[in-house]
Coordinates of all heavy atoms in Angstrom, one line a residue:
M1 N 5.0 -1.8 12.6 CA 6.3 -2.6 12.5 C 6.9 -2.4 11.2 O 6.5 -3.1 10.2 CB 6.1 -4.1 12.8 CG 5.6 -4.4 14.3 SD 6.7 -4.3 15.5 CE 5.8 -4.9 16.9
D2 N 7.8 -1.4 10.9 CA 8.4 -1.3 9.6 C 10.0 -1.4 9.8 O 10.6 -0.7 9.0 CB 7.9 0.1 9.2 CG 6.6 0.1 8.5 OD1 6.2 -1.0 8.2 OD2 5.9 1.3 8.5
R3 N 10.4 -2.2 10.5 CA 11.9 -2.4 10.6 C 12.6 -2.9 9.4 O 13.7 -2.6 9.2 CB 12.3 -3.2 11.8 CG 11.9 -2.8 13.1 CD 12.5 -3.6 14.3 NE 12.0 -5.0 14.2 CZ 12.4 -5.9 14.9 NH1 13.4 -5.8 15.9 NH2 12.0 -7.2 14.8
L4 N 11.8 -3.5 8.6 CA 12.4 -4.0 7.2 C 11.8 -3.3 5.9 O 11.9 -3.9 4.9 CB 12.2 -5.6 7.1 CG 12.8 -6.4 8.3 CD1 12.6 -7.8 8.0 CD2 14.4 -6.2 8.2
K5 N 11.2 -2.2 6.2 CA 10.6 -1.4 5.0 C 11.7 -1.1 4.1 O 12.8 -0.7 4.5 CB 9.9 -0.1 5.6 CG 9.1 0.5 4.5 CD 8.5 1.9 5.1 CE 7.9 2.7 4.1 NZ 7.3 4.1 4.6
N6 N 11.4 -1.2 2.8 CA 12.3 -0.9 1.8 C 13.4 -2.1 1.6 O 14.4 -1.9 1.0 CB 13.1 0.4 1.8 CG 11.9 1.4 1.7 OD1 11.0 1.3 0.9 ND2 12.2 2.6 2.4
K7 N 13.2 -3.2 2.4 CA 14.1 -4.3 2.2 C 13.5 -5.4 1.4 O 12.3 -5.6 1.3 CB 14.6 -4.9 3.5 CG 15.2 -3.9 4.5 CD 16.5 -3.5 4.1 CE 17.3 -2.6 5.1 NZ 18.6 -2.1 4.5
V8 N 14.2 -6.2 0.8 CA 13.7 -7.3 0.0 C 14.3 -8.6 0.7 O 15.5 -8.7 0.8 CB 14.1 -7.3 -1.5 CG1 13.5 -8.6 -2.2 CG2 13.3 -6.1 -2.2
A9 N 13.6 -9.5 1.1 CA 13.9 -10.9 1.6 C 13.7 -11.9 0.7 O 12.4 -12.1 0.1 CB 13.4 -11.1 3.0
I10 N 14.5 -12.9 0.4 CA 14.4 -14.0 -0.4 C 14.5 -15.1 0.5 O 15.5 -15.4 1.0 CB 15.5 -14.1 -1.6 CG1 15.5 -12.8 -2.5 CG2 15.2 -15.4 -2.4 CD1 16.5 -12.7 -3.5
V11 N 13.3 -15.9 0.5 CA 13.4 -17.1 1.4 C 13.2 -18.3 0.7 O 12.2 -18.6 0.0 CB 12.1 -17.0 2.5 CG1 12.2 -18.2 3.4 CG2 12.3 -15.7 3.2
T12 N 14.2 -19.2 0.6 CA 14.1 -20.5 0.0 C 13.5 -21.4 1.0 O 13.7 -21.4 2.1 CB 15.5 -21.0 -0.4 OG1 16.4 -21.1 0.8 CG2 16.2 -20.1 -1.5
G13 N 12.7 -22.3 0.5 CA 12.0 -23.3 1.3 C 10.9 -22.5 2.2 O 10.8 -22.9 3.3
G14 N 10.2 -21.7 1.6 CA 9.3 -20.9 2.3 C 7.9 -21.2 2.4 O 7.0 -20.6 3.0
A15 N 7.6 -22.6 2.0 CA 6.3 -23.0 1.9 C 5.9 -23.8 3.3 O 4.8 -24.2 3.5 CB 6.0 -23.8 0.8
S16 N 6.9 -24.1 4.1 CA 6.8 -25.0 5.4 C 7.8 -24.6 6.4 O 8.8 -23.8 6.2 CB 7.0 -26.4 4.9 OG 6.8 -27.2 6.0
G17 N 7.4 -25.1 7.5 CA 8.4 -24.9 8.7 C 9.0 -23.6 8.9 O 8.3 -22.6 9.0
M18 N 10.3 -23.5 9.1 CA 10.8 -22.2 9.5 C 10.9 -21.2 8.4 O 10.6 -20.0 8.7 CB 12.3 -22.6 9.9 CG 12.5 -23.3 11.1 SD 14.2 -23.5 11.6 CE 14.6 -24.8 10.5
G19 N 11.0 -21.6 7.2 CA 10.9 -20.6 6.0 C 9.5 -20.0 6.0 O 9.6 -18.8 5.7
K20 N 8.5 -20.7 6.2 CA 7.1 -20.2 6.3 C 7.0 -19.1 7.3 O 6.4 -18.0 7.2 CB 6.1 -21.3 6.4 CG 4.7 -20.9 6.3 CD 3.7 -22.1 6.3 CE 2.3 -21.7 6.2 NZ 1.5 -23.0 6.4
S21 N 7.5 -19.5 8.5 CA 7.4 -18.5 9.6 C 8.2 -17.3 9.3 O 7.8 -16.2 9.7 CB 7.8 -19.2 10.9 OG 7.0 -20.3 11.3
E22 N 9.4 -17.5 8.9 CA 10.4 -16.4 8.6 C 9.7 -15.4 7.6 O 9.7 -14.2 7.6 CB 11.7 -16.9 8.1 CG 12.4 -17.6 9.2 CD 13.5 -18.5 8.6 OE1 13.6 -18.6 7.4 OE2 14.1 -19.1 9.4
S23 N 8.9 -16.0 6.5 CA 8.3 -15.1 5.4 C 7.3 -14.3 6.1 O 7.2 -13.2 5.7 CB 7.8 -16.1 4.4 OG 8.7 -16.9 3.7
S24 N 6.4 -15.0 6.9 CA 5.4 -14.2 7.4 C 5.9 -13.0 8.3 O 5.4 -11.8 8.3 CB 4.4 -15.1 8.3 OG 3.9 -16.1 7.6
R25 N 6.9 -13.3 9.1 CA 7.6 -12.3 10.0 C 8.1 -11.2 9.2 O 8.0 -9.9 9.6 CB 8.6 -12.9 10.9 CG 9.2 -12.1 12.0 CD 8.0 -11.5 12.9 NE 8.6 -10.3 13.6 CZ 9.0 -10.5 14.8 NH1 9.2 -11.5 15.4 NH2 9.6 -9.3 15.4
F26 N 9.0 -11.5 8.2 CA 9.6 -10.4 7.4 C 8.5 -9.6 6.8 O 8.7 -8.4 6.7 CB 10.5 -11.1 6.3 CG 11.7 -11.8 6.8 CD1 12.4 -12.7 6.1 CD2 12.3 -11.5 8.1 CE1 13.5 -13.3 6.4 CE2 13.4 -12.1 8.5 CZ 14.1 -13.1 7.7
A27 N 7.4 -10.1 6.2 CA 6.4 -9.4 5.7 C 5.8 -8.3 6.7 O 5.4 -7.3 6.4 CB 5.3 -10.3 5.0
S28 N 5.5 -9.0 8.0 CA 4.8 -8.2 9.0 C 5.6 -7.1 9.4 O 5.2 -6.0 9.9 CB 4.5 -9.1 10.2 OG 5.6 -9.4 10.9
E29 N 7.0 -7.1 9.1 CA 7.9 -6.1 9.5 C 8.1 -5.1 8.3 O 9.0 -4.3 8.3 CB 9.3 -6.6 9.9 CG 9.4 -7.4 11.3 CD 9.1 -6.4 12.3 OE1 9.1 -5.3 12.3 OE2 9.1 -7.0 13.6
G30 N 7.3 -5.3 7.1 CA 7.4 -4.4 6.0 C 8.2 -4.7 4.9 O 8.4 -4.0 3.9
A31 N 9.0 -5.9 4.9 CA 9.8 -6.4 3.8 C 9.0 -6.8 2.6 O 7.9 -7.3 2.8 CB 10.7 -7.4 4.1
K32 N 9.5 -6.6 1.5 CA 8.9 -7.3 0.2 C 9.6 -8.7 0.3 O 10.8 -8.9 0.3 CB 9.4 -6.5 -1.0 CG 8.7 -5.2 -1.1 CD 9.1 -4.7 -2.4 CE 8.3 -3.4 -2.6 NZ 8.8 -2.2 -1.7
V33 N 8.7 -9.8 0.3 CA 9.3 -11.2 0.6 C 9.1 -11.9 -0.8 O 8.0 -12.1 -1.3 CB 8.7 -11.8 1.7 CG1 9.2 -13.2 2.0 CG2 8.7 -10.9 3.0
V34 N 10.2 -12.5 -1.3 CA 10.1 -13.5 -2.4 C 10.3 -14.8 -1.8 O 11.3 -15.2 -1.1 CB 11.3 -13.3 -3.3 CG1 11.3 -14.2 -4.4 CG2 11.4 -11.8 -3.9
V35 N 9.2 -15.7 -1.8 CA 9.2 -16.9 -1.3 C 9.5 -18.0 -2.5 O 8.7 -18.0 -3.5 CB 7.8 -17.3 -0.7 CG1 7.8 -18.8 -0.2 CG2 7.6 -16.4 0.4
A36 N 10.6 -18.8 -2.4 CA 11.0 -19.8 -3.3 C 10.7 -21.1 -2.6 O 11.1 -21.4 -1.6 CB 12.2 -19.6 -3.8
D37 N 10.1 -22.0 -3.3 CA 9.8 -23.5 -2.7 C 9.5 -24.5 -3.9 O 9.0 -23.9 -5.0 CB 8.8 -23.4 -1.8 CG 8.9 -24.6 -0.9 OD1 8.8 -25.7 -1.2 OD2 9.2 -24.3 0.3
L38 N 9.8 -25.6 -3.8 CA 9.4 -26.6 -4.8 C 8.1 -27.0 -4.5 O 7.4 -27.6 -5.4 CB 10.3 -27.9 -4.7 CG 11.8 -27.6 -5.1 CD1 12.7 -29.0 -4.6 CD2 11.9 -27.3 -6.5
N39 N 7.6 -26.9 -3.3 CA 6.4 -27.5 -2.9 C 5.2 -26.5 -2.9 O 5.1 -25.6 -1.9 CB 6.5 -28.1 -1.5 CG 5.2 -28.7 -1.0 OD1 4.2 -28.8 -1.7 ND2 5.1 -29.2 0.2
L40 N 4.5 -26.3 -4.0 CA 3.5 -25.3 -4.1 C 2.2 -25.7 -3.3 O 1.5 -24.7 -3.0 CB 3.0 -25.2 -5.5 CG 4.2 -24.9 -6.6 CD1 3.6 -24.9 -8.0 CD2 4.8 -23.6 -6.3
E41 N 2.3 -26.8 -2.7 CA 1.0 -27.2 -1.8 C 1.3 -26.8 -0.4 O 0.4 -26.8 0.4 CB 0.8 -28.6 -1.8 CG 0.4 -29.2 -3.2 CD -0.8 -28.5 -3.9 OE1 -1.7 -28.2 -3.1 OE2 -0.8 -28.1 -5.1
G42 N 2.4 -26.4 0.0 CA 2.7 -25.9 1.4 C 3.6 -26.8 2.3 O 3.4 -26.8 3.4
G43 N 4.5 -27.6 1.7 CA 5.5 -28.2 2.5 C 4.9 -29.6 3.1 O 5.0 -29.8 4.3
L44 N 4.8 -30.6 2.3 CA 4.5 -32.0 2.8 C 5.8 -32.8 2.6 O 5.5 -34.0 3.0 CB 3.3 -32.5 2.1 CG 1.9 -31.7 2.2 CD1 0.9 -32.4 1.3 CD2 1.5 -31.6 3.7
V45 N 6.9 -32.3 2.2 CA 8.0 -33.2 2.0 C 8.9 -33.1 3.2 O 9.2 -32.1 3.7 CB 8.8 -32.5 0.8 CG1 9.9 -33.3 0.4 CG2 7.9 -32.5 -0.5
A46 N 9.3 -34.3 3.6 CA 10.3 -34.4 4.6 C 11.6 -35.1 4.0 O 11.5 -35.7 3.1 CB 9.7 -35.3 5.8
Q47 N 12.7 -34.8 4.7 CA 13.9 -35.3 4.2 C 14.6 -36.1 5.2 O 14.6 -35.7 6.4 CB 14.9 -34.2 3.8 CG 14.1 -33.5 2.6 CD 14.8 -32.2 2.3 OE1 15.9 -31.9 2.9 NE2 14.4 -31.4 1.1
K48 N 15.3 -37.2 4.9 CA 16.1 -38.0 5.9 C 17.4 -37.4 6.1 O 17.9 -36.9 5.2 CB 16.2 -39.5 5.4 CG 14.8 -40.3 5.5 CD 15.0 -41.6 5.0 CE 13.6 -42.3 5.1 NZ 13.8 -43.7 4.5
G49 N 17.9 -37.5 7.4 CA 19.3 -37.0 7.5 C 20.3 -38.0 7.0 O 19.9 -39.0 6.6
G50 N 21.6 -37.8 7.3 CA 22.4 -38.8 6.7 C 23.8 -38.0 6.2 O 23.9 -36.8 6.4
A51 N 24.7 -38.8 5.5 CA 26.0 -38.3 5.2 C 25.6 -37.1 4.2 O 26.3 -36.1 4.2 CB 26.8 -39.3 4.6
A52 N 25.0 -37.4 3.2 CA 24.7 -36.4 2.1 C 24.1 -35.1 2.7 O 24.4 -34.1 2.4 CB 23.8 -36.9 1.1
Y53 N 23.2 -35.2 3.7 CA 22.5 -34.1 4.2 C 23.6 -33.3 4.9 O 23.6 -32.1 4.9 CB 21.4 -34.6 5.3 CG 20.8 -33.6 6.0 CD1 19.6 -33.1 5.6 CD2 21.3 -33.1 7.3 CE1 19.0 -32.0 6.3 CE2 20.6 -32.1 8.0 CZ 19.4 -31.6 7.5 OH 18.9 -30.6 8.2
T54 N 24.5 -34.0 5.7 CA 25.5 -33.3 6.4 C 26.5 -32.6 5.5 O 26.8 -31.5 5.9 CB 26.2 -34.4 7.3 OG1 25.3 -35.0 8.2 CG2 27.2 -33.7 8.3
A55 N 26.9 -33.3 4.5 CA 27.7 -32.8 3.5 C 27.2 -31.5 3.0 O 27.8 -30.4 2.7 CB 28.2 -33.7 2.5
A56 N 26.0 -31.6 2.5 CA 25.3 -30.5 1.9 C 25.2 -29.2 2.8 O 25.4 -28.2 2.4 CB 23.9 -31.0 1.5
K57 N 24.9 -29.6 4.2 CA 24.8 -28.4 5.1 C 26.1 -27.7 5.2 O 26.2 -26.5 5.5 CB 24.3 -29.0 6.5 CG 22.9 -29.5 6.4 CD 22.1 -28.3 6.0 CE 20.6 -28.8 5.6 NZ 19.7 -27.8 4.9
H58 N 27.3 -28.5 5.3 CA 28.6 -27.8 5.3 C 28.9 -27.1 4.1 O 29.6 -25.9 4.1 CB 29.5 -28.9 5.6 CG 29.8 -29.3 7.0 ND1 28.7 -30.2 7.5 CD2 30.5 -29.1 8.0 CE1 29.0 -30.4 8.9 NE2 30.0 -29.6 9.2
G59 N 28.3 -27.6 2.9 CA 28.5 -26.8 1.8 C 27.8 -25.5 1.7 O 28.3 -24.4 1.1
V60 N 26.6 -25.4 2.3 CA 25.9 -24.2 2.5 C 26.7 -23.1 3.0 O 26.6 -21.8 2.7 CB 24.6 -24.4 3.3 CG1 24.0 -23.1 3.7 CG2 23.7 -25.2 2.4
V61 N 27.5 -23.5 4.0 CA 28.5 -22.5 4.8 C 29.4 -21.8 3.9 O 29.5 -20.7 3.7 CB 29.2 -23.1 6.0 CG1 30.2 -22.1 6.6 CG2 28.3 -23.7 6.9
G62 N 30.1 -22.7 2.9 CA 31.0 -22.2 2.1 C 30.3 -21.3 1.0 O 30.7 -20.4 0.5
Y63 N 29.1 -21.9 0.6 CA 28.3 -21.1 -0.5 C 27.9 -19.8 0.0 O 28.0 -18.7 -0.8 CB 27.1 -22.0 -0.9 CG 26.3 -21.5 -2.1 CD1 26.9 -21.2 -3.3 CD2 25.0 -21.3 -2.0 CE1 26.2 -20.7 -4.3 CE2 24.2 -20.9 -3.0 CZ 24.8 -20.6 -4.2 OH 24.0 -20.1 -5.2
T64 N 27.5 -19.7 1.1 CA 27.1 -18.5 1.8 C 28.3 -17.4 1.9 O 28.1 -16.2 1.6 CB 26.5 -18.6 3.2 OG1 25.5 -19.6 3.0 CG2 26.0 -17.4 3.9
K65 N 29.4 -17.9 2.3 CA 30.6 -17.0 2.4 C 31.0 -16.4 0.9 O 31.4 -15.4 0.7 CB 31.9 -17.7 3.0 CG 31.6 -18.0 4.5 CD 32.8 -18.6 5.1 CE 32.7 -18.9 6.5 NZ 33.7 -19.7 7.1
H66 N 30.8 -17.4 -0.1 CA 31.2 -17.0 -1.4 C 30.1 -15.9 -1.9 O 30.6 -14.8 -2.4 CB 31.0 -18.2 -2.2 CG 31.0 -17.8 -3.8 ND1 32.0 -17.4 -4.5 CD2 29.9 -17.8 -4.6 CE1 31.7 -17.3 -5.8 NE2 30.4 -17.3 -5.9
L67 N 29.0 -16.2 -1.7 CA 27.9 -15.1 -2.1 C 28.2 -13.8 -1.4 O 28.0 -12.7 -2.0 CB 26.4 -15.7 -1.9 CG 26.1 -16.8 -2.8 CD1 24.7 -17.4 -2.4 CD2 26.0 -16.5 -4.2
A68 N 28.3 -13.9 -0.1 CA 28.7 -12.7 0.6 C 29.9 -11.9 0.1 O 29.9 -10.7 0.0 CB 28.9 -12.9 2.1
A69 N 30.9 -12.7 -0.2 CA 32.0 -12.0 -0.8 C 31.8 -11.3 -2.2 O 32.3 -10.2 -2.5 CB 33.3 -13.1 -1.0
V70 N 31.0 -12.0 -2.9 CA 30.7 -11.5 -4.2 C 29.7 -10.3 -4.2 O 29.9 -9.2 -4.9 CB 30.0 -12.6 -5.1 CG1 29.4 -12.0 -6.4 CG2 31.0 -13.6 -5.4
Y71 N 28.8 -10.3 -3.3 CA 27.7 -9.3 -3.3 C 27.8 -8.2 -2.2 O 27.0 -7.2 -2.3 CB 26.3 -10.0 -3.1 CG 25.9 -10.6 -4.4 CD1 26.0 -12.1 -4.5 CD2 25.7 -10.0 -5.6 CE1 25.7 -12.8 -5.6 CE2 25.3 -10.6 -6.8 CZ 25.3 -12.1 -6.8 OH 25.1 -12.7 -8.0
S72 N 28.8 -8.4 -1.2 CA 28.9 -7.3 -0.3 C 29.1 -5.9 -0.7 O 28.6 -5.0 -0.3 CB 29.8 -7.6 0.9 OG 31.1 -7.8 0.2
S73 N 29.9 -5.9 -1.8 CA 30.3 -4.5 -2.4 C 29.0 -3.9 -2.9 O 29.0 -2.6 -3.3 CB 31.4 -4.7 -3.5 OG 30.9 -5.6 -4.5
K74 N 28.0 -4.6 -3.3 CA 26.7 -4.0 -3.8 C 25.7 -3.8 -2.7 O 24.5 -3.5 -2.9 CB 26.1 -5.0 -4.7 CG 26.9 -5.3 -6.0 CD 26.3 -6.2 -6.9 CE 27.3 -6.7 -8.0 NZ 27.7 -5.6 -8.9
G75 N 26.1 -3.9 -1.5 CA 25.2 -3.6 -0.2 C 24.2 -4.7 0.1 O 23.3 -4.5 0.7
I76 N 24.6 -5.9 -0.5 CA 23.6 -7.0 -0.3 C 24.1 -7.9 0.8 O 25.4 -8.4 0.7 CB 23.3 -7.9 -1.6 CG1 22.6 -6.9 -2.6 CG2 22.5 -9.1 -1.3 CD1 22.7 -7.5 -4.0
K77 N 23.4 -8.3 1.8 CA 23.9 -9.1 2.9 C 23.4 -10.6 2.5 O 22.3 -10.7 2.0 CB 23.1 -8.7 4.2 CG 23.7 -7.5 4.9 CD 23.0 -7.4 6.3 CE 23.6 -6.2 6.9 NZ 23.0 -5.9 8.2
V78 N 24.3 -11.5 2.7 CA 23.8 -12.9 2.5 C 24.0 -13.7 3.8 O 25.2 -13.8 4.3 CB 24.8 -13.6 1.5 CG1 24.3 -15.0 1.1 CG2 24.7 -12.6 0.1
N79 N 23.0 -14.2 4.4 CA 23.1 -15.0 5.6 C 22.7 -16.3 5.5 O 21.7 -16.6 4.7 CB 22.1 -14.2 6.8 CG 22.6 -12.8 7.0 OD1 23.7 -12.6 7.4 ND2 21.7 -11.9 6.9
A80 N 23.2 -17.2 6.4 CA 22.7 -18.6 6.5 C 22.2 -18.8 8.0 O 23.1 -18.3 8.9 CB 23.7 -19.5 6.1
I81 N 21.3 -19.4 8.3 CA 20.8 -19.8 9.6 C 21.1 -21.2 9.8 O 20.5 -22.1 9.2 CB 19.4 -19.3 9.9 CG1 19.3 -17.7 9.6 CG2 18.9 -19.7 11.3 CD1 17.8 -17.4 9.7
A82 N 21.7 -21.6 11.0 CA 21.9 -22.9 11.3 C 21.4 -23.2 12.7 O 22.0 -23.1 13.7 CB 23.5 -23.2 11.4
P83 N 20.2 -23.5 12.7 CA 19.4 -23.8 14.0 C 19.6 -25.1 14.6 O 20.1 -26.0 13.9 CB 17.9 -23.6 13.5 CG 17.9 -24.2 12.2 CD 19.1 -23.7 11.6
G84 N 19.2 -25.2 15.9 CA 19.1 -26.5 16.6 C 17.9 -27.1 16.1 O 17.1 -26.6 15.1
T85 N 17.5 -28.3 16.7 CA 16.4 -29.0 16.3 C 15.1 -28.2 16.6 O 14.9 -27.8 17.8 CB 16.3 -30.4 17.0 OG1 17.3 -31.1 16.6 CG2 15.1 -31.1 16.6
I86 N 14.1 -28.0 15.7 CA 12.8 -27.4 15.8 C 11.8 -28.3 15.2 O 12.0 -28.8 14.0 CB 12.8 -26.0 15.0 CG1 14.0 -25.2 15.6 CG2 11.5 -25.3 15.1 CD1 14.3 -23.8 14.9
Q87 N 10.7 -28.5 15.8 CA 9.8 -29.5 15.3 C 9.0 -28.9 14.1 O 8.3 -27.9 14.3 CB 8.7 -29.8 16.4 CG 7.9 -31.0 16.1 CD 7.1 -31.6 17.3 OE1 7.1 -31.0 18.3 NE2 6.4 -32.6 16.9
T88 N 9.2 -29.5 13.1 CA 8.6 -29.1 11.8 C 8.4 -30.3 11.0 O 8.7 -31.5 11.5 CB 9.4 -28.1 11.0 OG1 10.6 -28.9 10.5 CG2 10.0 -26.9 11.7
P89 N 7.8 -30.4 9.9 CA 7.6 -31.6 9.0 C 8.9 -32.3 8.7 O 8.8 -33.6 8.6 CB 7.0 -31.0 7.7 CG 6.2 -29.9 8.3 CD 7.0 -29.2 9.1
I90 N 10.0 -31.6 8.7 CA 11.3 -32.3 8.3 C 11.7 -33.3 9.4 O 12.3 -34.3 9.2 CB 12.3 -31.3 8.0 CG1 13.4 -31.9 7.1 CG2 13.1 -30.8 9.2 CD1 14.3 -30.9 6.5
T91 N 11.3 -32.9 10.8 CA 11.7 -33.8 11.8 C 10.9 -35.0 12.1 O 11.0 -35.7 12.9 CB 11.8 -33.0 13.2 OG1 10.5 -32.4 13.4 CG2 12.9 -31.8 13.0
E92 N 9.6 -35.0 11.3 CA 8.7 -36.1 11.5 C 9.0 -37.4 10.9 O 8.5 -38.5 11.2 CB 7.3 -35.7 11.1 CG 6.7 -34.6 12.1 CD 5.5 -34.0 11.5 OE1 4.9 -34.5 10.6 OE2 5.1 -32.9 12.0
E93 N 10.1 -37.3 10.0 CA 10.5 -38.5 9.2 C 11.3 -39.3 10.1 O 12.1 -39.0 10.9 CB 11.3 -38.1 8.0 CG 11.7 -39.2 7.1 CD 10.5 -39.7 6.2 OE1 9.6 -39.1 6.2 OE2 10.8 -40.8 5.6
Ligands
NAD101 N1 13.8 -28.4 11.8 C1 14.9 -28.6 12.3 O1 15.2 -29.1 13.4 C2 16.2 -28.2 11.5 C3 17.5 -28.1 12.2 C4 18.6 -27.5 11.5 C5 18.6 -27.2 10.2 N2 17.3 -27.4 9.5 C6 17.2 -26.9 8.0 O2 16.4 -25.8 8.1 C7 15.7 -25.8 6.6 C8 14.2 -25.7 6.8 O3 13.8 -26.8 7.6 P1 12.3 -27.0 8.1 O4 12.5 -27.7 9.3 O5 11.6 -25.8 8.0 O6 11.8 -28.0 7.0 P2 10.3 -28.3 6.3 O7 10.3 -29.6 5.6 O8 9.3 -27.9 7.1 O9 10.4 -27.2 5.1 C9 11.4 -27.3 4.1 C10 10.8 -26.7 2.7 O10 11.8 -26.5 1.9 C11 11.3 -26.9 0.4 N3 12.5 -27.3 -0.3 C12 13.0 -28.4 -0.3 N4 14.0 -28.4 -1.4 C13 13.9 -27.3 -1.9 C14 14.6 -26.6 -3.1 N5 15.5 -27.4 -3.7 N6 14.1 -25.3 -3.5 C15 13.1 -24.9 -2.8 N7 12.5 -25.3 -1.7 C16 12.8 -26.5 -1.3 C17 10.3 -28.0 0.8 O11 9.3 -28.2 -0.2 C18 9.7 -27.4 2.2 O12 8.5 -26.6 2.0 C19 16.1 -27.1 6.0 O13 17.3 -26.8 5.2 C20 16.6 -27.9 7.3 O14 17.6 -28.8 7.0 C21 16.2 -27.8 10.1

């Protein structure tokens, strides 16, 4: 499985939940993976939803579009994933 050979993936929040799964999958497909996380122990932090959470998530959409506009000319893709509910430590709160 080398579909991502010679690609570099940067995964924020990669110590737990979806980020952890994505990091493993990208690596198994041959990508070099940069895992960034605040939790060096592996993701025991959960967050409550609410107004600030919702506002931040909408901000991510604009931030992603901004980064894509800046870096697309350099051949860098910038993606954001907006999933439905998936059972991870964040949903246990
Ligand atoms: N699980 C769901 O149902 C769901 C649904 C929609 C969106 N999301 C979003 O997907 C993302 C991942 O969710 P998850 O369910 O895998 O959560 P999770 O709690 O399992 O993992 C989140 C990880 O992000 C890390 N993190 C938090 N703040 C950080 C920061 N500033 N810099 C780097 N790392 C940081 C945490 O330490 C943790 O390891 C979150 O942004 C969440 O809001 C989750």
Side-chain angles (χ1 to χ4, degrees):
M1 301 285 187
D2 281 338
R3 291 191 300 173
L4 298 178
K5 190 177 178 187
N6 298 323
K7 301 290 184 183
V8 177
I10 302 171
V11 181
T12 57
S16 177
M18 292 183 283
K20 185 176 181 181
S21 295
E22 291 157 3
S23 297
S24 297
R25 183 60 194 270
F26 289 161
S28 74
E29 292 286 354
K32 294 180 176 69
V33 184
V34 179
V35 177
D37 204 294
L38 291 177
N39 180 5
L40 299 178
E41 300 301 320
L44 298 176
V45 178
Q47 300 167 354
K48 294 179 180 176
Y53 179 91
T54 304
K57 291 305 171 189
H58 282 76
V60 167
V61 175
Y63 186 53
T64 302
K65 289 180 178 178
H66 166 76
L67 291 175
V70 170
Y71 289 108
S72 63
S73 64
K74 299 180 188 302
I76 297 172
K77 287 185 184 175
V78 182
N79 295 312
I81 299 171
T85 301
I86 299 170
Q87 192 170 1
T88 68
I90 207 172
T91 61
E92 292 172 9
E93 184 77 5

